[in-house]
Amino acid sequence: MIRPWTFWRSHFPCQSRHNSVCGQTDRMAIPKVTTLVAHLPENSIWANRKCLLICAVVAIANMQYGLDSTCMASLQAMPGFLMVFGHPDPKIAGGYGIDRTFQQLIGSLLTLGAFLSSIFAGAFAHFFGRRPALWLACLLTALGSAIQIGTTSQGVVYFGRLVLGIGNGFLVTFSNIYCAEAAPAHLRAVMVALFSEWVNIGSIVGAVITNVTQKKLDKSSYQIPLGAQFIVPGLLAIGLFFVPESPRYLVNKGKEAEGRKALERLRGDSLRQDEFELEWVEMVRGIEEEKKLASTVGPLDMFRGSDLRRTLLCFGVIATQTGCGSWFLISYSTYFLVVSGLTVDEAFKYSLLKTCLGFIGVNLGIYLMRHVFGRRSIMMIGCFFQGMFQLGLAISATVAPGTATARNCLIAFTGLYMFAYNAFVGDASYPVATEVVSTRLRSWTVGSAISLGYFLAWLASFCSPYFINPGALNWGAKYGYIWAGSNLICGIFYFLFLPELKGRTLEEIDELFERRIAAWKFKSTKTNIMDEALREVQHREDKLTDVKSPVELMENNTEKEL
């Protein structure tokens, strides 16, 4: 006699992802791959909405960077702030000036703190992972903001800026590493470019808040913007409870079961079972191959073998963020507009407009990277336009200094530069920097590269007042000549050395670098790792075809009983 549940099982096998009778998940079952080809589908953003949402939660960490940069740039031109930390100066619009040393330190200590924390990012991530690093960063940024709000001492402000910078270094490093490791290959640029999206959202929020409070003539004028910096650590600390750890980090640490569960959560229903299996096997094979090539994982490995080239590329891409002149306008834009002749009110309004243009540029850049250009083209186009706008800024100040025309050119070229930077180099630099390095060294290399970037940003922040401050060289907008030349050098670097990585999985990129493929051949070279992963999945299927399923075994036993 055949029992009803046996009949039901034999005709209607388990379809749910988790079923206690089947004894395993659908994902863990070996799929049929007879029609599967050796590449993963490039499905839509909507199909990957779960992964996009998770990456967006993690990427909110970068909002702190934009919020703080805009607030601190605005505070340097805010009368309420300058009454406490500045000095009377009737020659400057607003009636108050700021000491050059104080200006240098509040702008540069943030980047110095980020530089220090980024150096140790690799060691921290090696032992603790991405999520704990981000939780620690939330604590440090909240502490740094609280210190600055509660003091009128310049020395204590310096300490608060340093603590905030240490937290910011972890936020930027690990949020971008996580998004690069979690995203599917064809959407990696989009999801890592959420960095720029959130930076600009933070900048807009900071510009709106400071524009509202800049007319206040008491401490609340700067304490409110500083208090807004609790938003990011609060939201991120809560959001991380719903975010899985990076699957590539877990596999690299030997936790394959946990890594598979994390990848399941990230992919959701965006892939069929056979496609998911192919991506999983490719990931595991790629990480295993990396481990075979090196017996150690440490900072010195960044400069050995094929990883040396990858490290230098990562360092170069991050360095060009500062080399194209972005920190000059990010750190001092509002103050720069004031000393160039605009009223305080005009400077704040135009800074808000410039930030909104940057946000539009970010979204245009994400579209272009997804549908039109590769990474290499985006970076070179960006350097061309950024250099032209910096040159226009400098020429207008040289030809017609102190005129209404020069002032209008200042406003126009500053806005156009921020639009171009966010659409091109600002959008593409972190996707390239995080995908160009190997999985086993990603936290070490990206952390070190970001520390170098912050050091260069600190250098730019520290030196810029010498050029633009009326009490020093007083170059004003002529400072743009230096950055126009710097953009030319960055463009040449991209043309000669940067390979095209669009559409490649991280494991395919590992293979291309290990084979020492020339930069201009990356796009056309066929890789083997996906084919090998496909053969492994098919081999597993072939082995299982000779093994009867639990349902078949029960049916056979039932037949014997009859």
Side-chain angles (χ1 to χ4, degrees):
M1 179 177 181
I2 300 177
R3 296 178 179 85
W5 66 269
T6 305
F7 176 82
W8 180 268
R9 285 286 311 280
S10 65
H11 288 78
F12 301 96
C14 174
Q15 298 295 323
S16 64
R17 186 168 295 177
H18 299 279
N19 189 295
S20 59
V21 178
C22 292
Q24 62 180 351
T25 66
D26 282 352
R27 290 293 199 204
M28 294 299 290
I30 301 300
K32 297 292 183 182
V33 294
T34 53
T35 60
L36 188 65
V37 294
H39 64 79
L40 295 172
E42 295 190 4
N43 45 20
S44 66
I45 292 178
W46 178 250
N48 290 275
R49 59 190 179 278
K50 184 176 182 181
C51 184
L52 179 65
L53 178 61
I54 289 172
C55 288
V57 170
V58 175
I60 197 175
N62 300 290
M63 180 180 171
Q64 186 77 9
Y65 171 76
L67 181 61
D68 179 79
S69 297
T70 301
C71 287
M72 195 51 58
S74 299
L75 294 187
Q76 297 175 47
M78 190 177 288
F81 178 79
L82 295 176
M83 285 179 182
V84 178
F85 298 102
H87 58 268
D89 190 343
K91 297 179 182 179
I92 299 177
Y96 287 88
I98 186 171
D99 181 70
R100 187 179 65 208
T101 301
F102 181 65
Q103 186 181 33
Q104 289 172 323
L105 290 174
I106 61 174
S108 61
L109 281 173
L110 176 83
T111 53
L112 179 61
F115 164 77
L116 295 173
S117 63
S118 298
I119 288 177
F120 298 103
F124 189 94
H126 180 69
F127 294 104
F128 301 106
R130 288 33 169 160
R131 292 169 72 215
L134 289 169
W135 267 316
L136 176 61
C138 291
L139 176 63
L140 291 173
T141 50
L143 178 62
S145 300
I147 290 171
Q148 293 176 83
I149 292 172
T151 186
T152 58
S153 167
Q154 291 188 359
V156 178
V157 170
Y158 296 153
F159 178 69
R161 298 296 294 163
L162 187 64
V163 172
L164 186 67
I166 292 172
N168 252 0
F170 267 29
L171 287 177
V172 173
T173 300
F174 290 105
S175 61
N176 287 291
I177 287 175
Y178 182 92
C179 291
E181 294 180 338
H186 67 291
L187 293 176
R188 190 167 54 246
V190 173
M191 295 188 185
V192 180
L194 290 170
F195 163 82
S196 298
E197 194 87 30
W198 279 112
V199 166
N200 277 270
I201 291 172
S203 297
I204 292 172
V205 171
V208 169
I209 293 174
T210 53
N211 190 53
V212 171
T213 64
Q214 54 101 0
K215 294 182 180 179
K216 295 178 177 289
L217 299 179
D218 56 17
K219 294 179 182 178
S220 65
S221 64
Y222 66 88
Q223 288 176 331
I224 293 173
L226 292 174
Q229 295 188 43
F230 287 105
I231 295 172
V232 174
L235 291 177
L236 181 60
I238 295 171
L240 286 172
F241 284 103
F242 306 96
V243 169
E245 181 58 271
S246 163
R248 283 181 169 84
Y249 168 78
L250 292 170
V251 173
N252 197 49
K253 298 297 289 183
K255 302 177 181 179
E256 290 194 13
E258 294 178 36
R260 185 170 183 125
K261 290 179 182 178
L263 189 63
E264 286 180 4
R265 289 183 61 188
L266 287 164
R267 293 295 173 265
D269 297 321
S270 64
L271 297 175
R272 300 196 313 264
Q273 294 175 26
D274 52 355
E275 294 165 344
F276 175 88
E277 188 71 23
L278 185 60
E279 180 176 2
W280 168 251
V281 171
E282 185 203 22
M283 180 191 300
V284 174
R285 283 185 66 90
I287 293 172
E288 287 176 349
E289 288 299 320
E290 272 199 286
K291 288 182 177 179
K292 290 178 184 177
L293 296 172
S295 58
T296 60
V297 178
L300 295 180
D301 288 340
M302 296 187 297
F303 306 102
R304 293 173 179 151
S306 62
D307 284 307
L308 174 60
R309 177 188 176 191
R310 306 176 76 168
T311 299
L312 294 177
L313 281 171
C314 181
F315 281 20
V317 169
I318 294 295
T320 54
Q321 278 194 314
T322 301
C324 66
S326 59
W327 268 93
F328 160 48
L329 293 177
I330 290 173
S331 298
Y332 298 105
S333 58
T334 306
Y335 172 80
F336 187 51
L337 292 171
V338 170
V339 298
S340 297
L342 274 70
T343 66
V344 173
D345 192 51
E346 288 175 332
F348 274 87
K349 288 180 179 178
Y350 284 122
S351 291
L352 178 58
L353 174 63
K354 174 204 68 179
T355 304
C356 291
L357 285 173
F359 182 70
I360 296 171
V362 166
N363 290 280
L364 173 64
I366 290 175
Y367 175 83
L368 292 177
M369 280 194 293
R370 175 77 174 90
H371 298 288
V372 183
F373 298 116
R375 322 286 204 252
R376 187 166 174 263
S377 299
I378 283 281
M379 301 288 269
M380 289 190 295
I381 292 170
C383 284
F384 172 78
F385 282 109
Q386 291 158 195
M388 290 298 100
F389 295 143
Q390 289 277 14
L391 188 62
L393 192 73
I395 291 175
S396 64
T398 303
V399 174
T403 64
T405 301
R407 187 188 68 174
N408 293 336
C409 287
L410 170 68
I411 296 168
F413 284 123
T414 300
L416 288 171
Y417 174 88
M418 294 308 297
F419 173 84
Y421 170 74
N422 283 282
F424 298 105
V425 173
D427 247 358
S429 54
Y430 273 106
V432 173
T434 51
E435 67 191 2
V436 78
V437 297
S438 63
T439 297
R440 68 188 180 89
L441 296 173
R442 183 164 287 113
S443 58
W444 292 99
T445 311
V446 175
S448 300
I450 290 176
S451 69
L452 172 64
Y454 274 119
F455 171 75
L456 295 175
W458 169 81
L459 193 62
S461 299
F462 189 83
C463 294
S464 290
Y466 283 109
F467 291 91
I468 65 174
N469 197 296
L473 293 178
N474 195 26
W475 281 19
K478 296 176 187 177
Y479 194 32
Y481 282 123
I482 292 177
W483 298 113
S486 181
N487 272 282
L488 175 62
I489 296 171
C490 293
I492 294 172
F493 166 75
Y494 297 144
F495 177 76
L496 294 177
F497 302 109
L498 188 64
E500 182 52 66
L501 307 174
K502 183 177 181 179
R504 299 285 194 180
T505 66
L506 296 178
E507 288 69 34
E508 286 178 313
I509 294 170
D510 288 342
E511 180 186 333
L512 289 168
F513 275 108
E514 192 58 39
R515 289 166 55 185
R516 302 182 187 276
I517 302 298
W520 58 89
K521 294 182 180 180
F522 259 61
K523 189 174 182 179
S524 59
T525 302
K526 187 181 186 317
T527 55
N528 300 318
I529 189 167
M530 187 66 78
D531 292 325
E532 293 170 359
L534 178 61
R535 284 194 293 269
E536 182 175 330
V537 174
Q538 289 173 330
H539 178 65
R540 292 184 185 181
E541 178 190 311
D542 293 339
K543 288 175 65 177
L544 286 183
T545 55
D546 297 328
V547 180
K548 292 184 177 180
S549 69
V551 173
E552 292 174 320
L553 292 173
M554 285 186 289
E555 288 177 341
N556 290 339
N557 291 334
T558 304
E559 290 172 0
K560 289 180 180 179
E561 290 176 7
L562 293 173

